[in-house]
Amino acid sequence: MAEMSHDVIIIGSGAGGGAAAWALSRRNIRVLVLEAGPAFDPLQDYRLQQNDWELTGFPEKPGSKGRHSYAPLQKLEERWQGLRSWSRNQGITVEGDRRAVAGYEHVRGVGGSTLHFTGEAHRLHPAAMKMYSCFGVAADWPFDYDELEPYYCEAERVIGVAGPAVDAVRRRSEPYPLPPHAQGYASRRLGEGCRKLGLNWVANPLAALSESYDGRPSCNYCSGCTSGCPRLDKGSVDVTFIRKALATGNCTVQSSCAVTRIEPGPDDRVTAVHYLDSQGSAHKISARAVVTACGAVETPRLLLLSENNHAPDGLANESGQVGRHFMETVSWTSNGLHPESLGSHRGLPADSICWDYNAPDAIPGVTGGCRFTPSAAESGLLGPVRYAQRVVPGWGRAHKAAMRKTFGHVLSVGAIGESLPNPGSFIDLDPAATDAAGLSLARIHSRLTDTELRRMEFMAGTARDILRAAGAGDIFEEYGSYDRFSSTHVFGTCRMGDDSDSSVVDGWCRSHRWRNLFIVDASVFPSSGGGESPSLTIEALAIRAADHLAQMMDRREL
Amino acid sequence: MFVSRRSFLKWPAVMWALTRLFPVHASEQVTSQVTDATLGAWFDTLIPADETPSATQLGVDRMMLAVERRDPDYRIVLDFGRKWLDKQARAQGAADFAALDATDRGAIAARAAAAGDSPEYYFFLSTRDEAFAFYYQQPESWPGLGYGGPPQPLGYMDYMRKPTNTVDG
């Protein structure tokens, strides 16, 4: 008999799980959050005060990286040679004629991948939620932007998002909680370049505090967000939603507890959750509802692993759609040198953004949008070690002299674009690779179509144009996701929709069949958006789904 | 996007060539005075002293040897490098690489850097990046860079202004 001491079990404590935990626990619903990874202590674990901070990046702890495998990736083609990653010091950086694996960049831990994100807090472009009806690709969201807007506001208030007062595309019912951050000295150079090209370069909405807020201090612009914020001003989920959920007294978070399966039962309900604790001991627990929030790679894996005679094809997979429609991060980065010392290692990683090509029909001849930001921080070009290795060629006295002339001169433009689903991109269970518990790993199948590559070609060309216009035409390094799979944002593998034959969950993120099973991560996204960072949308979706779940509980429907 | 020790070791063809050409036995001691001097001279060729210290003055050679002791695979790389460097030196009539003057050492480094797809080229790339990593994490290497140290706890509250104490190119 499974123990039942909580009303809701949430699997995963990232953007979706954390926001759901807060939204439920504030309504006096008893929540247990099971997190497969460890908890991080920002003051103890993050290393931005240490001399070797560049080499460590975001810290790894036991269990903080999930394991998964990759099916063979596509062959590289001569016609896309302009999208190969290269550097002045090394030439072409991906050997061979086949796309390589850089990895699914994520953090498994309390707070999930928000622990290492740059803090972008984006709302989706409204038109990007209607990709099928307007453009005949991907699928429509089962509701529109206006339905999600109040939940965006709630998430922004919890986090303390700093953003600009004006947004002509994304209607706002209230201003951002905090004023935008001033653009940095180097970012303003990129802005000058954009203006020469007729592009707009505006403040990027960020989950980083421009003023002290909710007991947290304001940002001191160290640019180290991706290494973990020791000040707690970055609005990662651990210091916002989870902290507030714990403060209600209704939420318990158990880290280093890996869920192995959800048990489907009779009457179209899931009846238990099985997990292994940090000591490897097996547990079985029950609750009135189960919410999964493991991300677009691990959530389909868990559902597929959870098959039994009640769900012979895997949990919630009656449509055969679990794992399909995988969408990844379509990205490009160009790094150049400016003749002036800019101190580009300072500031916020992505304090500005160009949204001009974000709409689904904004890029000439290609469906799906993209956006551009400064990217020196995400490129890891913030300290002397990486400058010595990657920016300054050669060795010896000349290298040392060039270091002194070059440090702080890098200008970087990064672009992220829409990822449209295609039949060659999906997640399944690897028949040959298992984890320590003997369970099949998620296997990533990724294929970039010509549409993605033409979009990436536009992104690369525009990034180069911005650098040249900003005076940094001496480009020394470029890389993108054409020749190396590298994804931070993943989507789509448990699609949300009204039709149970073509989707996994309904518009409330509830399984079409399993009445007490919800999914609140980016796996439910029917489309990826035009490069927007997804965490705020995940949080808004999770709050909305949790409110619905709470209402069902109030009505005793669960 | 740089050649780290680990990524170096991922090149199977390079490792195959190195292990075939320069087999290292588990019992072999490779940190003798002579071979240490060779590597020390190599690292000081990559990072010589000027206004700031050289690589060996900041202990880069000791750090690399510590890595070598922990990592048998990297021992293959460094041992190849020692033997290759000394071989080049002997071809010029010197006892070993450390006995050459700075100009001759630089010429050998230039040959390695230009050697294309070869073990000496990958030895050059790998040790260059590792040496820079050990060197530039030390405060003694920072004067003149316009870099004052780790990003925290002070941050960069001047991020909106033109930086000071830097050299424009």
Side-chain angles (χ1 to χ4, degrees):
Chain A
M1 182 75 182
E3 58 180 288
M4 186 166 177
S5 56
H6 295 86
D7 300 314
V8 177
I9 298 167
I10 298 176
I11 307 167
S13 66
W22 169 74
L24 292 168
S25 60
R26 67 175 170 164
R27 294 174 179 274
N28 291 321
I29 293 170
R30 297 169 304 156
V31 175
L32 172 64
V33 180
L34 295 174
E35 168 54 54
F40 286 84
D41 179 342
L43 298 178
Q44 294 291 323
D45 293 328
Y46 301 157
R47 296 188 58 83
L48 286 169
Q49 289 115 317
Q50 307 296 323
N51 288 345
D52 65 351
W53 63 276
E54 273 190 275
L55 304 178
T56 50
F58 189 85
E60 283 193 33
K61 296 177 77 168
S64 67
K65 290 283 183 195
R67 289 179 58 215
H68 40 271
S69 65
Y70 296 85
L73 300 175
Q74 70 203 78
K75 288 198 72 152
L76 303 174
E77 299 178 64
E78 184 65 30
R79 64 189 172 123
W80 301 115
Q81 193 67 12
L83 296 177
R84 294 295 294 263
S85 304
W86 67 277
S87 76
R88 185 178 288 161
N89 284 358
Q90 286 182 50
I92 294 290
T93 52
V94 175
E95 301 286 326
D97 64 352
R98 193 170 284 279
R99 194 176 181 220
V101 172
Y104 164 37
E105 302 294 340
H106 67 287
V107 176
R108 217 167 65 158
V110 177
S113 291
T114 66
L115 298 176
H116 76 162
F117 79 156
T118 59
E120 290 187 314
H122 293 159
R123 297 177 172 206
L124 277 182
H125 191 296
M129 300 170 73
K130 300 294 173 194
M131 294 299 287
Y132 186 75
S133 55
C134 294
F135 306 101
V137 296
D140 285 356
W141 292 55
F143 47 80
D144 60 18
Y145 172 88
D146 285 342
E147 168 66 22
L148 204 53
E149 203 278 337
Y151 302 97
Y152 274 133
C153 291
E154 274 202 284
E156 288 165 348
R157 283 195 298 269
V158 172
I159 297 164
V161 174
V166 178
D167 189 329
V169 173
R170 296 159 172 83
R171 181 189 68 79
R172 299 190 59 83
S173 59
E174 59 184 64
Y176 282 107
L178 293 172
H181 295 271
Q183 292 176 317
Y185 187 78
S187 291
R188 295 206 301 274
R189 282 289 185 276
L190 290 173
E192 290 165 12
C194 283
R195 274 190 292 281
K196 288 178 188 170
L197 299 172
L199 301 175
N200 295 290
W201 187 250
V202 299
N204 200 357
L206 293 173
L209 300 181
S210 56
E211 299 170 357
S212 58
Y213 183 84
D214 195 27
R216 293 152 50 214
S218 59
C219 176
N220 69 358
Y221 304 98
C222 83
S223 207
C225 303
T226 57
S227 295
C229 178
R231 286 171 61 84
L232 316 184
D233 65 271
K234 189 180 82 167
S236 52
V237 166
D238 56 334
V239 300
T240 54
F241 291 103
I242 292 288
R243 177 174 65 95
K244 288 175 176 291
L246 292 172
T248 65
N250 296 317
C251 177
T252 303
V253 177
Q254 292 185 7
S255 59
S256 300
C257 290
V259 173
T260 53
R261 70 189 174 97
I262 303 167
E263 190 170 309
D267 197 24
D268 294 339
R269 291 174 183 270
V270 295
T271 55
V273 169
H274 298 252
Y275 71 94
L276 299 172
D277 66 20
S278 58
Q279 306 303 311
S281 300
H283 300 264
K284 178 181 178 181
I285 54 173
S286 292
R288 293 167 67 187
V290 174
V291 177
T292 70
C294 313
V297 172
E298 287 297 321
T299 285
R301 176 193 181 220
L302 178 59
L303 296 182
L304 294 172
L305 287 171
S306 299
E307 51 87 22
N308 70 3
N309 60 328
H310 296 291
D313 298 318
L315 182 59
N317 196 27
E318 292 73 29
S319 62
Q321 296 292 300
V322 170
R324 312 311 266 182
H325 316 299
F326 176 64
M327 295 173 279
E328 59 184 87
T329 310
V330 174
S331 65
W332 181 262
T333 299
S334 294
N335 294 329
L337 283 173
H338 195 279
E340 181 192 348
S341 175
L342 305 172
S344 56
H345 56 295
R346 308 169 301 166
L348 280 157
D351 63 6
S352 311
I353 192 163
C354 173
W355 289 117
D356 291 38
Y357 296 104
N358 174 237
D361 56 354
I363 299 176
V366 185
T367 301
C370 68
R371 53 61 177 251
F372 300 87
T373 60
S375 196
E378 286 213 84
S379 297
L381 295 173
L382 298 177
V385 170
R386 299 306 186 214
Y387 264 75
Q389 292 171 328
R390 290 164 50 190
V391 181
V392 178
W395 76 95
R397 284 178 183 273
H399 183 274
K400 291 181 81 173
M403 280 289 290
R404 295 180 187 115
K405 287 187 175 177
T406 307
F407 186 73
H409 288 239
V410 166
L411 270 187
S412 173
V413 175
I416 300 178
E418 178 107 28
S419 174
L420 294 172
N422 71 75
S425 291
F426 59 94
I427 304 293
D428 66 3
L429 297 180
D430 192 320
T434 57
D435 64 12
L439 301 172
S440 294
L441 298 182
R443 179 170 59 177
I444 295 172
H445 299 253
S446 164
R447 183 164 68 85
L448 295 175
T449 68
D450 282 6
T451 301
E452 265 57 53
L453 295 173
R454 281 166 42 222
R455 187 180 310 110
M456 201 185 299
E457 198 168 49
F458 176 85
M459 290 155 54
T462 304
R464 293 166 188 149
D465 288 345
I466 293 172
L467 281 181
R468 289 190 195 103
D474 179 16
I475 296 173
F476 62 88
E477 174 184 272
E478 295 183 304
Y479 54 90
S481 54
Y482 164 58
D483 57 6
R484 44 198 279 283
F485 175 89
S486 176
S487 280
T488 49
H489 308 154
V490 290
F491 316 86
T493 51
C494 296
R495 179 182 275 179
M496 169 171 53
D498 292 327
D499 177 10
S500 62
D501 289 335
S502 60
S503 58
V504 176
V505 295
D506 65 16
W508 297 105
C509 298
R510 185 170 74 144
S511 162
H512 285 297
R513 174 183 167 189
W514 303 91
R515 293 185 287 166
N516 60 343
L517 176 67
F518 292 74
I519 302 173
V520 294
D521 56 37
S523 69
V524 305
F525 283 27
S527 58
S528 72
E532 295 92 334
S533 286
S535 64
L536 189 76
T537 300
I538 297 170
E539 288 154 357
L541 272 178
I543 296 169
R544 178 174 175 273
D547 281 358
H548 181 70
L549 194 165
Q551 289 163 13
M552 292 179 74
M553 285 185 147
D554 287 345
R555 295 193 298 263
R556 303 247 170 231
E557 293 174 13
L558 288 175
Chain B
M1 298 305 294
F2 65 96
V3 181
S4 69
R5 174 166 44 90
R6 281 284 157 208
S7 58
F8 176 89
L9 295 170
K10 283 177 185 167
W11 274 305
V14 175
M15 286 304 294
W16 182 85
L18 289 176
T19 52
R20 286 293 296 260
L21 292 170
F22 302 94
V24 176
H25 303 293
S27 59
E28 189 177 344
Q29 294 300 307
V30 294
T31 54
S32 70
Q33 194 73 29
V34 173
T35 52
D36 286 355
T38 296
L39 278 187
W42 171 246
F43 293 128
D44 278 352
T45 302
L46 297 177
I47 311 174
D50 56 3
E51 297 97 315
T52 53
S54 72
T56 56
Q57 286 170 334
L58 293 190
V60 169
D61 54 335
R62 292 193 300 277
M63 296 178 203
M64 296 288 269
L65 292 173
V67 172
E68 181 186 37
R69 282 192 289 275
R70 291 196 304 269
D71 186 341
D73 286 342
Y74 202 52
R75 183 172 154 188
I76 296 171
V77 176
L78 291 188
D79 197 48
F80 163 77
R82 288 184 184 96
K83 291 173 179 173
W84 185 82
L85 291 170
D86 286 343
K87 183 178 177 184
Q88 308 308 305
R90 284 195 294 276
Q92 295 179 221
D96 57 32
F97 184 74
L100 294 172
D101 64 22
T103 303
D104 288 340
R105 280 189 255 147
I108 292 172
R111 279 211 297 278
D117 193 16
S118 67
E120 56 266 32
Y121 174 64
Y122 294 113
F123 165 74
F124 165 80
L125 279 184
S126 176
T127 51
R128 172 191 185 273
D129 283 350
E130 287 288 315
F132 286 152
F134 284 128
Y135 183 80
Y136 281 108
Q137 65 180 276
Q138 300 189 64
E140 295 88 341
S141 70
W142 300 337
L145 292 179
Y147 170 75
Q152 291 290 356
L154 298 178
Y156 300 113
M157 295 303 289
D158 67 344
Y159 77 105
M160 290 177 291
R161 296 194 290 274
K162 179 178 171 63
T164 55
N165 299 323
T166 55
V167 181
D168 284 349

